[in-house]
C-alpha cells in the first residue's frame, strides 16, 4: 500500500511544547506510524508555498492520502484541492486528521462549512466507539482515553456520516463526532479529530493502531491502478473551473 502523508510545518511545532511532543517532527511521526505496518510512505510538507511536493504523479500512485493541516489551508491551490477530491471520487482512500476538517479537499468532498467549536485546553478526551467491532477500532475495547487534547465540539457542520466510528467526550462536557467515515464516489474517507501539534497524541499505541486500521479500511480494495482503469470512472470526475 502506498501512503502519502501531507503534513504542514508551522511555528507552533517549533515551540517548546511542539518540540517536546514531537522531537522528530509531527510529519515524521505520522510517516513512521503508517510505515511500521509495511506501507510505502511518502511524506510531503505543506507550508506557505502550498503543497508543491504533492505532484500529479505522486497523487496518481497513492492508495491512501493522509492530510494534517491547520495554518496553511489557504495556501493550497484550488486546482490541487480539486485534484485530490477527484482522486478520492475515483477510489483513493483518504484520512483527514485533526484540523484538516478545515482543509479545502475536505470541504470540497463534504460540501458543507465543516465548522466546529473548539477550546485549546489540553484536557482529557474519552473517545467512545459505538460499534467496538468496527474494523477501524477492532481490538481497542469500548473507548480509549487521550490524556491531553484540544477540544473539538458540536455543532460540527458536516453531512450525516455514513459510519459514525468514534464519539469524543471532553472533560469540559462537550461531545464531538470525532471519527466519521464518508463514501464519495468509489472512495472512502475517514475523519479523526485528535492530534493537536503540541500534544503527543500520535505516540499513543491505541491511536496508532486505530489509524493503521483506518488506512487499511479506506484503502482501495482492488488497488488504485485497477480502480482508476474502470471504464465508468469518468462519471465521477469533477469539472474544473
Ligand atoms: Zn489543533
Amino acid at each position: 500500500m502506498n501512503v502519502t502523508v501531507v503534513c504542514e510545518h508551522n511555528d507552533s511545532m517549533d515551540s517548546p511544547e511542539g518540540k517536546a511532543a514531537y522531537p522528530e517532527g509531527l510529519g515524521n511521526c505520522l510517516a513512521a506510524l503508517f510505515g511500521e505496518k509495511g506501507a510505502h510512505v511518502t511524506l510531503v510538507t505543506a507550508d506557505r508555498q502550498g503543497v508543491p511536493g504533492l505532484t500529479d504523479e505522486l497523487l496518481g500512485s497513492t492508495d491512501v492520502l493522509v492530510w494534517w493541516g491547520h495554518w496553511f489551508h489557504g495556501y493550497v491551490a484550488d486546482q490541487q484541492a480539486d485534484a485530490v477530491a477527484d482522486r478520492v471520487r475515483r477510489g483513493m482512500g483518504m484520512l483527514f486528521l485533526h484540523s484538516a476538517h478545515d482543509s479545502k479537499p475536505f470541504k470540497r468532498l463534504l460540501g458543507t462549512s465543516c465548522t466546529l467549536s473548539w477550546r485549546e485546553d489540553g484536557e482529557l478526551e474519552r473517545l467512545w466507539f459505538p460499534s467496538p467491532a468496527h474494523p477501524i477500532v477492532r481490538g481497542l475495547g469500548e473507548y480509549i482515553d487521550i490524556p491531553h487534547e484540544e477540544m473539538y465540539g458540536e455543532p460540527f457542520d458536516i453531512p450525516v456520516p455514513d459510519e459514525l466510528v468514534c464519539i469524543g467526550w471532553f472533560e469540559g462536557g462537550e461531545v464531538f463526532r470525532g471519527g466519521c467515515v464518508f463514501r464519495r464516489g468509489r472512495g472512502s474517507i475517514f475523519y479523526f479529530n485528535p492530534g493537536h501539534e503540541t500534544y503527543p497524541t500520535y505516540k499513543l499505541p491505541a491511536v496508532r493502531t486505530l489509524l493503521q486500521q483506518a488506512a487499511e479500511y479506506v484503502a482501495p480494495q482492488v488497488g488504485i491502478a485497477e480502480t482508476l482503469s474502470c471504464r465508468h470512472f469518468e462519471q465521477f470526475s469533477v469539472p474544473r473551473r
Side-chain angles (χ1 to χ4, degrees):
M1 176 163 63
N2 291 325
V3 174
T4 299
V5 175
V6 171
C7 187
E8 73 177 36
H9 187 90
N10 62 44
D11 293 347
S12 176
M13 294 170 176
D14 289 329
S15 69
E17 297 81 10
K19 285 187 169 176
Y22 298 102
E24 76 280 47
L26 195 153
N28 285 320
C29 175
L30 288 173
L33 186 162
F34 294 105
E36 70 187 15
K37 285 296 178 183
H40 177 263
V41 182
T42 304
L43 175 61
V44 176
T45 301
D47 54 23
R48 290 182 178 83
Q49 310 306 314
V51 199
L54 186 62
T55 62
D56 288 345
E57 183 181 11
L58 178 59
L59 196 56
S61 64
T62 298
D63 295 302
V64 176
L65 181 62
V66 181
W67 197 286
W68 193 105
H70 188 189
W71 293 24
F72 305 131
H73 294 315
Y75 293 91
V76 176
D78 287 341
Q79 190 174 10
Q80 195 169 36
D82 288 340
V84 169
D86 186 46
R87 290 289 298 184
V88 171
R89 293 186 184 93
R90 293 170 186 241
M92 183 179 72
M94 183 115 200
L95 306 184
F96 289 97
L97 304 180
H98 190 53
S99 40
H101 72 89
D102 200 29
S103 67
K104 288 183 180 180
F106 192 65
K107 291 193 279 194
R108 275 164 170 68
L109 285 161
L110 268 60
T112 56
S113 73
C114 303
T115 53
L116 46 75
S117 64
W118 60 277
R119 183 179 63 251
E120 195 178 327
D121 271 357
E123 64 198 79
L124 168 73
E125 178 179 10
R126 176 160 291 177
L127 206 58
W128 288 93
F129 309 139
S131 301
H134 190 285
I136 292 179
V137 297
R138 185 176 295 149
L140 297 176
E142 295 181 345
Y143 68 85
I144 61 173
D145 280 342
I146 297 171
H148 303 285
E149 191 48 75
E150 180 177 13
M151 190 286 290
Y152 275 10
E154 300 287 340
F156 185 20
D157 183 24
I158 53 172
V160 174
D162 291 292
E163 297 164 25
L164 181 57
V165 181
C166 312
I167 302 171
W169 168 87
F170 292 84
E171 272 184 297
E174 296 88 351
V175 294
F176 187 67
R177 289 169 287 173
C180 304
V181 171
F182 302 93
R183 312 282 184 191
R184 291 294 183 272
R186 294 181 184 278
S188 296
I189 300 160
F190 182 62
Y191 170 75
F192 186 65
N193 80 277
H196 186 68
E197 67 266 27
T198 58
Y199 310 126
T201 297
Y202 298 131
K203 304 276 188 175
L204 298 172
V207 171
R208 298 176 78 86
T209 297
L210 188 155
L211 290 177
Q212 289 158 356
Q213 292 180 164
E216 292 284 345
Y217 189 69
V218 302
Q221 297 302 303
V222 294
I224 198 74
E226 291 84 349
T227 302
L228 295 177
S229 67
C230 170
R231 62 193 173 89
H232 298 299
F233 75 76
E234 285 300 336
Q235 66 185 295
F236 299 114
S237 65
V238 177
R240 296 285 161 75
R241 285 190 292 272

